């Protein structure tokens, strides 16, 4: 039965500290109804080897890779929500598992006892519904933050009547608890108990879930229904759904004085607190909806929304409702007219949203379909082509989409953005992440005065930012700013981008012509930047000039992550290592020519330090620790040195005198390709790994 707590129980086991210590490898994958052996194998492999790209579709090759990963290791694998009863498919999937060490375990969650038998599960644990008393504990814990009604006796009797309606399902108790959270008036509880929604029999949706939805505020109802576009088990980030809600106009420009993004975060937190969203088992930075909640969203969506599953071929030829406004589908390997032509008849469509279940799959969209979309759907607000590898350019007719607010071209092979995009005056978001062939943005991009998000991280071939880029004064997030030479934008354009937040990479700093231009960027005034990367992409003869440029690119003291790559000069500016950077937690110094390291031992909350490719450094000594620092690196946990070709000696802190503690919290020290280093390493009392 759905909602009885199978996945929750598996999560508790998976995340238990004792389990963490017992197994060398852990992996979690959602199997769901589409039991494709290659897809599930790929998902398991990617869960284990997160840094590897497994684009292969050849099952034998995938299984060989998985077998190699598991070989000799004791592993725990969770296969969540399995529906397949076909023994042959299970037999195919399980081939690599025998390579694991003795004691390896596979945990399967399923609603179907036949599935457990086919997979040879032993023992089988059949979860039963909770008792009313246990359901009451769940309800009170979530609604009142307590184990009982001792402080709210007036709510006890009505609470006991509500849990009877939960039918022993913890999911029902959780969602009702979220609905009643912070409500201490017995009248509110009575109103929930006696609502007519309990008696509706027009769907298979759990009554308790219908009640939870019924009492959502109107704006939250709209935002929740939008999530019906997400496939079951789809994991999404908070910012992803907020950008979509904003583009659809669900978040007012100002709502009681709060900006759209702030309101969106409140909505996500509210849906999470009501158990309509839950944190992913694999990645706690992402959310997922329980299958029953996903069914609830589709029920709430009505005819305004439609999600086309990849296996439902009969839907490919159907006539869509004229009232349809929002459309999503699971991307196929090759999406052509047969599958998508019919949607082009829905002229009032606002959302075209292909959903990619795995970032490692290769997907292709027919050019004829793309032309039909831009010619026949002029009212689109959300248009995504994310992940279609064969998108090298866009049709000229893209300019027809005057209402467009959200354009996602991430992980396509787009090379140049068409100038017609400059006429999208309502455009709010452009996503270009992973567009590794992208060379140019639009010349007159400064016309997009409503643009708030330009995500262009990992667009490695981007030559420069266009002139006038500083006109985008509403910009909140920018993945990468590429400094131009003659025809592009210089660093001073960053001055007017006062609201930048999150992460920012500034590359091709070798194109800076004078220090004044760099100073005009005023990075120290950008209080909301959390992570900053400064990169010189090529060596120049102006090494000391580069040091001067770096000296004026001092970020705000609240920056948390800082990366400096390829800077010339014989020493770093004094601000690097300044103890006023009280929130700096990670620092990376790569391929810089300085002959000494900065005094980063003075940084009070630095946890990770990564130094690599600094061939000018021969000796590391007191300057590294900080001359006035009694306990250097008080918070450092990870220290990594790599490719230090000329490094010969590491002078201990306080050499020749007694030192109470050095690196008091260091847990991991890595030295890679430092062949000339001789002598002893720094010592400390507790053990390092």
């Amino acid at each position: 039965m759905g909602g009885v707590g199978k996945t929750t129980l598996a999560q508790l086991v998976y995340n238990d500290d004792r389990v963490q210590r017992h197994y060398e490898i852990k992996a979690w994958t959602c199997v769901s109804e589409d039991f494709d052996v290659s897809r599930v194998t790929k998902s398991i492999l990617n869960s284990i080897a997160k840094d590897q790209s497994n684009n292969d579709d050849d099952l034998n090759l995938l299984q060989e890779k998985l077998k190699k990963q598991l070989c000799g290791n004791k592993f725990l694998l969770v296969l969540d929500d399995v529906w397949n009863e076909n023994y042959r498919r299970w037999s195919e999937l399980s081939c690599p598992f025998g390579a694991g060490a003795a004691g390896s375990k596979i945990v399967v969650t399923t609603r179907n006892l036949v599935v457990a038998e086919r997979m040879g599960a032993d023992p089988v644990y059949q979860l039963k519904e909770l008792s009313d008393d246990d359901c009451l504990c769940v309800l009170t814990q979530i609604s009142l933050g307590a184990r009982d009604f001792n402080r709210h006796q007036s709510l006890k009797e009505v609470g006991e009547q509500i849990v009877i309606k939960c039918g022993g399902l913890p999911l029902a108790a959780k969602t009702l608890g979220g609905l009643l959270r912070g409500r201490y008036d017995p009248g509110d509880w009575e109103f929930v108990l006696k609502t007519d929604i309990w008696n509706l029999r027009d769907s298979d949706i759990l009554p308790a879930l219908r009640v939870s939805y019924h009492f959502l505020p109107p704006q939250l109802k709209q935002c929740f229904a939008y999530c019906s576009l997400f496939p079951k088990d789809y994991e999404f980030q908070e910012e992803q759904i907020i950008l979509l809600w904003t583009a659809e106009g669900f978040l007012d420009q100002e709502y009681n004085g709060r900006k759209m993004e702030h309101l969106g975060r409140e909505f996500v937190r509210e849906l999470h607190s009501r158990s309509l969203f839950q944190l992913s088992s694999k990645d706690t930075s992402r959310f997922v909806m329980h299958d029953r909640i996903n069914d609830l969203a589709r029920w709430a969506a009505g005819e305004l929304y439609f999600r086309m599953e990849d296996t439902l071929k009969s839907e490919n030829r159907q006539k869509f409702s004229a009232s349809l406004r929002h459309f999503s589908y699971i991307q196929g390997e090759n999406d052509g007219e047969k599958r998508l032509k019919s949607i082009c008849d829905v002229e009032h469509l606002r959302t075209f949203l292909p959903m990619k279940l795995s970032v490692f799959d290769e997907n292709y969209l027919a050019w004829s379909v793309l032309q039909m979309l831009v010619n026949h759907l002029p009212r689109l607000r959300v248009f995504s082509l994310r992940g279609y590898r064969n998108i090298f350019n866009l049709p000229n007719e893209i300019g027809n989409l005057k209402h467009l607010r959200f354009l996602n071209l991430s992980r396509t092979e787009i090379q140049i953005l068409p100038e017609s995009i400059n006429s999208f005056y309502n455009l709010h978001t452009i996503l270009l992440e992973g567009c590794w062939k992208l060379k140019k943005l639009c010349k007159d991009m400064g016309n997009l005065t409503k643009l708030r998000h330009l995500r262009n991280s990992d667009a490695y071939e981007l030559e420069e930012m266009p002139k006038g880029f500083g006109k985008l004064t509403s910009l909140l997030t920018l993945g990468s700013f590429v400094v131009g030479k003659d025809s592009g934008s210089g660093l001073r354009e960053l001055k007017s981008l006062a609201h930048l937040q999150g992460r920012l990479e500034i590359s091709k700093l070798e194109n800076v012509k004078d220090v004044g231009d760099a100073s005009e960027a005023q990075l120290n005034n950008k209080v909301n930047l959390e992570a900053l990367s400064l990169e010189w992409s090529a060596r120049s003869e102006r090494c000391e000039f580069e040091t001067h440029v770096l000296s004026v690119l001092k970020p705000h003291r609240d920056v948390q992550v800082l990366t400096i790559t390829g800077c010339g000069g014989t020493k770093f500016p004094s601000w690097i290592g300044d103890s006023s950077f009280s929130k700096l937690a990670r620092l990376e110094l790569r391929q810089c020519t300085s002959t000494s390291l900065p005094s980063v031992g003075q940084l009070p909350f630095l946890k990770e330090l990564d130094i690599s490719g600094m061939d000018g450094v021969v000796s590391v000594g007191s300057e590294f620790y900080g001359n006035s620092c009694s306990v250097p690196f008080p918070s450092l946990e990870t220290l990594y040195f790599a490719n230090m070709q000329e490094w010969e000696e590491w002078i201990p802190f306080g050499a020749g005198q007694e030192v109470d503690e050095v690196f008091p919290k260091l847990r991991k020290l890595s030295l890679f390709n430092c062949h000339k280093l001789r002598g002893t390493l720094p010592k400390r009392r507790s053990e390092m790994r």
Side-chain angles (χ1 to χ4, degrees), residues 367 370 385 388-395 407-418 421 431-441 459 461-462:
W367 177 257
L370 180 55
L385 298 170
Y388 280 122
R389 295 292 301 276
N390 63 319
I391 303 297
F392 303 106
N393 58 349
L394 296 174
L407 178 61
N408 191 350
L409 299 171
S410 294
R411 303 195 181 279
T412 64
E413 297 190 8
I414 190 85
Q415 297 178 17
I416 299 176
L417 290 185
I421 287 180
L431 301 184
L432 301 166
E433 295 168 308
C435 292
W436 59 282
K437 287 191 175 182
L438 181 66
K439 295 182 181 297
K440 293 182 179 180
L441 301 176
E461 296 296 319
L462 192 59

Side-chain angles (χ1 to χ4, degrees), residues 313-350:
K313 296 181 181 179
S314 61
E315 293 177 345
N316 300 348
R317 304 180 186 88
Q318 77 172 56
K319 289 290 185 181
F320 293 101
S321 167
S323 59
L324 181 63
R325 294 293 181 271
H326 311 284
F327 172 75
S328 73
Y329 64 97
I330 299 173
Q331 285 175 292
E333 185 176 338
N334 291 288
D335 292 327
E337 290 187 30
K338 183 178 179 181
R339 187 170 191 220
L340 295 170
K341 183 177 180 180
S342 295
I343 195 62
C344 296
D345 297 331
V346 187
E347 61 180 29
H348 293 281
L349 195 71
R350 293 183 177 181

Side-chain angles (χ1 to χ4, degrees), residues 324-471:
L324 181 63
R325 294 293 181 271
H326 311 284
F327 172 75
S328 73
Y329 64 97
I330 299 173
Q331 285 175 292
E333 185 176 338
N334 291 288
D335 292 327
E337 290 187 30
K338 183 178 179 181
R339 187 170 191 220
L340 295 170
K341 183 177 180 180
S342 295
I343 195 62
C344 296
D345 297 331
V346 187
E347 61 180 29
H348 293 281
L349 195 71
R350 293 183 177 181
T351 305
F352 182 84
L353 192 62
M355 306 300 298
K356 195 173 178 69
L357 294 182
S358 171
V359 297
F360 302 103
D361 291 336
E362 292 194 3
N363 309 97
Y364 299 88
L365 179 70
W367 177 257
S368 60
V369 172
L370 180 55
Q371 287 182 310
M372 284 190 292
L373 292 171
V374 299
N375 278 315
H376 293 91
L377 301 177
R379 292 175 175 81
L380 281 179
R381 292 185 177 187
V382 169
F383 187 36
S384 175
L385 298 170
R386 176 184 172 85
Y388 280 122
R389 295 292 301 276
N390 63 319
I391 303 297
F392 303 106
N393 58 349
L394 296 174
N396 293 330
E397 294 82 0
I398 189 76
N400 295 339
L401 308 183
K402 302 297 184 183
H403 301 279
L404 203 63
R405 298 182 180 181
F406 176 101
L407 178 61
N408 191 350
L409 299 171
S410 294
R411 303 195 181 279
T412 64
E413 297 190 8
I414 190 85
Q415 297 178 17
I416 299 176
L417 290 185
E419 293 301 316
S420 55
I421 287 180
N422 291 328
S423 63
F424 294 167
Y425 300 116
N426 294 307
L427 198 62
H428 176 278
T429 298
I430 303 180
L431 301 184
L432 301 166
E433 295 168 308
C435 292
W436 59 282
K437 287 191 175 182
L438 181 66
K439 295 182 181 297
K440 293 182 179 180
L441 301 176
C442 311
K443 288 182 181 178
D444 297 319
M445 206 161 193
N447 293 338
L448 305 178
T449 55
K450 293 184 180 180
L451 193 66
R452 297 167 76 88
H453 304 279
L454 173 57
R455 309 281 179 83
N456 60 335
S457 300
D458 301 330
Y460 303 115
E461 296 296 319
L462 192 59
E463 296 172 356
E464 61 186 6
M465 309 313 280
K467 270 197 173 178
F469 194 81
K471 296 177 183 178

